[in-house]
Amino acid sequence: MRILIVHQNFPGQFGHLVRAWAARPGWQVRALGRQSAPGLPGFGQLVRYPLPRAGLANQHPYLHQIENAVLHGQSAVQTMFEMRRAGFTPDVILAHPGWGETLYAKDVFPDARLIHLCEWYYSAEGADVGFDPEFPISMNDRARVRTWNAQHALNLLECDAAVSPTHWQKSRYPEVLRDKIVVQHEGIDTHGMGPDPRATFTTPSGMTLKVGDPVITYVARNLEPYRGFHVFMRALERIQRAHPNCHALIVGGDGVSYGRRPKAAAHWREHMLREVRLDPTRTHFLGHIARPDYLHVLQVSACHVHLTYPFVLSWSLLEAMACAVPIVASDTAPIREAIEDGKRGQLVDFLEINHIANAVLDSLANPEDARRMGCNARDHARQYSLAAGLAGYDRLVLGCDKPQAVPARLPSINDHRNLTIQANEQKEEQIQ
């Protein structure tokens, strides 16, 4: 079995899958990512591609994302031709197509089973865009989103199979294309994460917090409105006034993963600290931290707050569940697939600051109930394990509903196209 993994920021969601497949006898695994991709320690088969140029500054604003995808696809296809000339022809290509790398993959490897991770299909209504009344959208926003979706629709048309991590994310794609998508989460390390009654965490100021302390946690890749940072900060102001001993551990950077930067501040942390009044001795901004430290943050948490627009499911929520942390989360999709209100955590209205603050205070005041819901959440999180993710992706890769013996090579699905490309091998021109 020969597999090509394509991800602009390799390994992205595919790290544990790559490790498992690369360790199997007879499996050849290669990867393709941008020059900036971090890579995977111990895996030496990543090929990095450069972009030929940046997008044009005077490009029509509706087309910026499309042009960017074409530039990624252009570079990726050149590198794929080089891989083929060097003797590597994949049976399967597994890709996150969001940046455009696989737009032309079938023109190089027509026989490969192309599997796309369908993470998100944008829309101007019913999901993330326009959800928060604090940030209204314009007609230009609507048109830009609709145009960008041309790439995502093409990705789904071109692939042989597709996968979404949640039912909600699948439901965002056009109904006419939805049957191609199966729901399968890639998996998190539920076995490597869990509660530890002896866990402690020392803040940058030197304060050591331990299990049993009134510690509130918030985690996001970057501190921004898409993940409810602005709402959390307003709720935290109310929580600190009502609870004089609680501490907040806030994990996340000052960049932007989704949405936009604030207009009058360097980042959203600065913006919100101008608005709210927090006790700096009890508010600990940790930035990006190492994995062991992150685990200790979750383990000492008495209440983990997870807020999000209706968007993609965050790993950090599932990891908090795996650690049996009591959770207060926004009543938004796809969180409802993971958290059952009153059983695995408390669901709150994303826009109701007092509701959020009261739910956190209730969790701190009733630790036994909170702990019960945390244990239920941990039990439920096991269905998102690495083993479950690997088994599901095995079925996708093999093109079967149930795991089976791995064939030496998948049968060709387009011999004619393959022969045509091979016949013209010497006639290829440099892509302009």
Side-chain angles (χ1 to χ4, degrees), residues 220-299:
R221 185 188 311 169
N222 284 299
L223 308 178
E224 55 190 330
Y226 251 74
R227 294 308 191 187
F229 175 66
H230 58 316
V231 177
F232 169 74
M233 291 286 278
R234 292 163 186 158
L236 183 60
E237 182 180 39
R238 290 163 171 76
I239 294 166
Q240 287 190 347
R241 284 202 302 260
H243 197 302
N245 300 317
C246 68
H247 284 260
L249 299 178
I250 304 171
V251 177
D254 289 324
V256 173
S257 299
Y258 317 106
R260 298 167 181 164
R261 291 184 179 276
K263 293 181 178 179
H267 42 70
W268 286 104
R269 176 168 58 92
E270 178 183 297
H271 178 85
M272 291 309 302
L273 284 173
R274 292 176 183 172
E275 176 186 327
V276 301
R277 295 292 178 264
L278 300 178
D279 182 348
T281 67
R282 297 190 287 139
T283 309
H284 311 280
F285 290 97
L286 307 179
H288 293 129
I289 58 178
R291 184 76 177 177
D293 292 331
Y294 168 60
L295 177 58
H296 292 153
V297 165
L298 293 179
Q299 288 170 332

Side-chain angles (χ1 to χ4, degrees), residues 20 36-37 110 121 133 166 185 193 258 269 287 294 378 381 398 407 432:
S36 56
Y121 193 89
T166 67
H185 195 274
M193 306 189 76
Y258 317 106
R269 176 168 58 92
Y294 168 60
R378 173 164 171 73
L398 298 172
Q432 299 302 315

Side-chain angles (χ1 to χ4, degrees), residues 98 109 121 134 176 182 207 209 211 269 332 337 341-342:
F109 301 121
Y121 193 89
E134 193 168 336
V176 69
V182 300
M207 177 174 294
L209 300 171
V211 175
R269 176 168 58 92
T332 48
E337 292 184 39
D341 187 30

Side-chain angles (χ1 to χ4, degrees), residues 86-338:
F88 181 75
T89 300
D91 302 306
V92 173
I93 301 172
L94 171 62
H96 189 314
W99 295 272
E101 285 103 329
T102 52
L103 282 174
Y104 317 114
K106 281 288 193 177
D107 297 299
V108 186
F109 301 121
D111 288 353
R113 177 175 169 81
L114 179 58
I115 303 171
H116 278 162
L117 171 59
C118 291
E119 190 171 35
W120 193 241
Y121 193 89
Y122 287 90
S123 59
E125 295 178 349
D128 56 324
V129 178
F131 168 76
D132 192 338
E134 193 168 336
F135 306 100
I137 64 171
S138 66
M139 182 59 209
N140 278 330
D141 294 325
R142 290 174 176 272
R144 187 163 44 247
V145 164
R146 188 178 297 277
T147 306
W148 188 6
N149 273 341
Q151 173 201 339
H152 300 304
L154 182 59
N155 285 333
L156 191 49
L157 284 169
E158 287 294 307
C159 69
D160 300 296
V163 57
S164 283
T166 67
H167 293 279
W168 156 253
Q169 287 163 256
K170 173 181 176 177
S171 75
R172 302 313 302 163
Y173 285 81
E175 186 175 359
V176 69
L177 301 174
R178 215 175 289 160
D179 286 346
K180 186 179 281 189
I181 304 174
V182 300
V183 174
Q184 175 61 61
H185 195 274
E186 56 271 5
I188 63 163
D189 186 11
T190 56
H191 292 289
M193 306 189 76
D196 181 355
R198 299 168 298 178
T200 62
F201 181 82
T202 302
T203 69
S205 63
M207 177 174 294
T208 297
L209 300 171
K210 64 184 185 302
V211 175
D213 290 339
V215 176
I216 302 160
T217 54
Y218 172 93
V219 173
R221 185 188 311 169
N222 284 299
L223 308 178
E224 55 190 330
Y226 251 74
R227 294 308 191 187
F229 175 66
H230 58 316
V231 177
F232 169 74
M233 291 286 278
R234 292 163 186 158
L236 183 60
E237 182 180 39
R238 290 163 171 76
I239 294 166
Q240 287 190 347
R241 284 202 302 260
H243 197 302
N245 300 317
C246 68
H247 284 260
L249 299 178
I250 304 171
V251 177
D254 289 324
V256 173
S257 299
Y258 317 106
R260 298 167 181 164
R261 291 184 179 276
K263 293 181 178 179
H267 42 70
W268 286 104
R269 176 168 58 92
E270 178 183 297
H271 178 85
M272 291 309 302
L273 284 173
R274 292 176 183 172
E275 176 186 327
V276 301
R277 295 292 178 264
L278 300 178
D279 182 348
T281 67
R282 297 190 287 139
T283 309
H284 311 280
F285 290 97
L286 307 179
H288 293 129
I289 58 178
R291 184 76 177 177
D293 292 331
Y294 168 60
L295 177 58
H296 292 153
V297 165
L298 293 179
Q299 288 170 332
V300 301
S301 179
C303 182
H304 181 73
V305 180
H306 184 84
L307 307 172
T308 182
Y309 290 1
F311 194 48
V312 300
L313 183 64
S314 171
W315 280 10
S316 67
L317 174 66
L318 299 177
E319 289 167 339
M321 293 171 65
C323 288
V325 181
I327 293 170
V328 171
S330 57
D331 189 9
T332 48
I335 289 179
R336 300 185 196 104
E337 292 184 39

